[in-house]
Amino acid sequence: MDRILVVDDDPLILAALSRILQSEGYEVVTHTDPAQAAKEQGFQVVLTDFMMPLLNGVELLRTLREKNPRAVRLMLTAAADFRTASEAVNRGEVFRLLGKPWSLSELTSAVRQAIEHYRLVESNERLTREVAEKNAELTAINRDLERMVVERTNGLLDGLISALDYRDTETQWHSRRVSLYSRRIGEEIGLTPTQLEVVEQGALLHDIGKIGVSDTILLKPGPLSPEEWVEMRKHPEYGYKILAKMPYLHDASLIVLHHQERWDGKGYPQGLKARDIVIGARIFAIADTVDAITSDRPYRKGRPLSVARDEIRRCSGTQFDPEVAEAFLRIQDAEWQRIRKKVEDMENAENALWAGFTPGKVPNRVAS
């Protein structure tokens, strides 16, 4: 039976996690004391909270890795702790980040993927010694591992965007809209599937650097002072520094770094011009403008797509890449409406899931 170590200093959450995982058929070992948990051996997966007394989740995972190098590491973290996501991934070698509150499907899927990853790595090591006889089997396993890296990346992206959304509540759905808008524009200009993935990732994470901006600036209700704007304009660089350390997000990190640059060179942080700006950032600039114009704001209602079209046509060659603007203008309004409806459905489904959630209590759909 697969054995899972679960660590959380909240007994209610620990009990809920244990009940869920036992119902999935796993042997579960639980600890509220991370120092005691650090002594455990002989498990395939460890699922730990981040913020705990004396020993945080990253420190615990580093300790456990010495005696359990093959164990797959999962981390739960509350909204306020997501600023440590980069540290967790790079120092703790975390396979997947899960936010609190979690969804039942996300939790069980992540654990299943972790168990599968453990088995695949174990098989990979064995088959490497037998490569002469079992080369075909080894190839199939490596293909599965590559698929799981993609799934891991997608899970990390979701976690990072959810983290920022807890600080800036419109960010998540804005980011998801512009990522899909950007992908559609990329399709129109003929990007390859790999390039489309990079564009979607970079657009999704464009504002992740705001995690490094202080709440007094990020959440300020009125206009920012010149000094505050200096700090706010550092967020592309903050985002780049977070993502560039993850090899599979390096190309996307350049989109994050360039997303406030302009075709005419009047943007920031580097004042890049024309094709010195990566194509993903040039695409994002148009997708972001579309969403800004057509979405509701506290001071005005969202305006029709025709207004966005006029603005992009007017700013083609100054703010926007003319070729990308032309590609956008070729796409019918129905396409943008379909994408917006898709994201609205996602938002409504998530709101329904957590409608009854209160701190310290597991939602009904999670507890069942």
Side-chain angles (χ1 to χ4, degrees), residues 10 12-13 101 353-364:
D10 187 325
L12 292 176
I13 292 178
L353 175 62
W354 297 110
F357 177 76
T358 53
K361 181 180 179 181
V362 179
N364 290 336

Side-chain angles (χ1 to χ4, degrees), residues 53-124:
L54 302 180
L55 199 66
N56 69 34
V58 173
E59 294 165 340
L60 173 60
L61 291 180
R62 293 178 68 188
T63 301
L64 287 170
R65 184 173 54 190
E66 296 177 5
K67 296 181 180 179
N68 306 271
R70 289 184 178 179
V72 183
R73 292 167 281 277
L74 305 176
M75 182 176 289
L76 282 167
T77 179
D81 304 325
F82 262 94
R83 295 181 67 172
T84 63
S86 177
E87 177 189 20
V89 172
N90 291 287
R91 292 179 55 205
E93 295 184 7
V94 175
F95 177 78
R96 180 84 178 264
L97 289 170
L98 297 168
K100 285 184 177 179
W102 65 85
S103 72
L104 179 59
S105 61
E106 181 185 22
L107 174 65
T108 55
S109 173
V111 172
R112 281 196 298 270
Q113 290 172 16
I115 291 292
E116 183 183 356
H117 185 82
Y118 179 92
R119 292 172 179 167
L120 288 169
V121 170
E122 191 175 53
S123 297
N124 183 273

Side-chain angles (χ1 to χ4, degrees), residues 174 177-183 185 203 282-292 312 320 328 336:
H174 161 70
R177 286 192 299 271
V178 296
S179 70
L180 296 178
Y181 289 166
S182 296
R183 186 182 185 97
I185 297 170
R282 286 180 267 146
I283 291 171
F284 165 81
I286 290 177
D288 188 49
T289 297
V290 172
D291 194 59
I312 288 165
F320 306 123
F328 162 77
W336 309 119

Side-chain angles (χ1 to χ4, degrees), residues 164-179:
L164 184 56
D165 189 51
Y166 282 111
R167 299 188 71 214
D168 186 0
T169 55
E170 172 57 18
T171 294
Q172 177 175 179
W173 306 114
H174 161 70
S175 295
R176 294 189 189 281
R177 286 192 299 271
V178 296
S179 70

Side-chain angles (χ1 to χ4, degrees), residues 242-296:
I242 290 173
L243 301 180
K245 296 176 183 178
M246 308 177 200
Y248 43 86
L249 291 178
H250 179 267
D251 290 345
S253 73
L254 294 175
I255 298 174
V256 173
L257 180 62
H258 293 182
H259 81 273
Q260 290 290 351
E261 303 288 358
R262 288 171 49 115
W263 181 257
D264 59 10
K266 296 180 180 179
Y268 65 88
Q270 296 172 300
L272 300 179
K273 186 175 182 180
R275 297 185 185 276
D276 289 339
I277 305 166
V278 295
I279 183 62
R282 286 180 267 146
I283 291 171
F284 165 81
I286 290 177
D288 188 49
T289 297
V290 172
D291 194 59
I293 290 173
T294 59
S295 297
D296 290 344

Side-chain angles (χ1 to χ4, degrees), residues 15-34:
L17 290 169
S18 178
R19 184 169 64 252
I20 291 168
L21 296 176
Q22 286 176 348
S23 71
E24 292 288 315
Y26 303 115
E27 178 184 353
V28 180
V29 179
T30 61
H31 284 282
T32 56
D33 182 353

Side-chain angles (χ1 to χ4, degrees), residues 120-170:
L120 288 169
V121 170
E122 191 175 53
S123 297
N124 183 273
E125 292 176 354
R126 174 177 56 82
L127 288 171
T128 298
R129 297 188 297 266
E130 304 169 3
V131 64
E133 300 81 21
K134 297 190 176 182
N135 187 60
E137 185 178 353
L138 181 61
T139 300
I141 288 173
N142 283 333
R143 186 165 53 246
D144 284 342
L145 285 171
E146 290 173 3
R147 171 181 56 81
M148 295 191 69
V149 168
V150 173
E151 292 175 352
R152 171 191 179 187
T153 300
N154 290 337
L156 285 169
L157 298 188
D158 287 343
L160 288 167
I161 292 304
S162 295
L164 184 56
D165 189 51
Y166 282 111
R167 299 188 71 214
D168 186 0
T169 55
E170 172 57 18

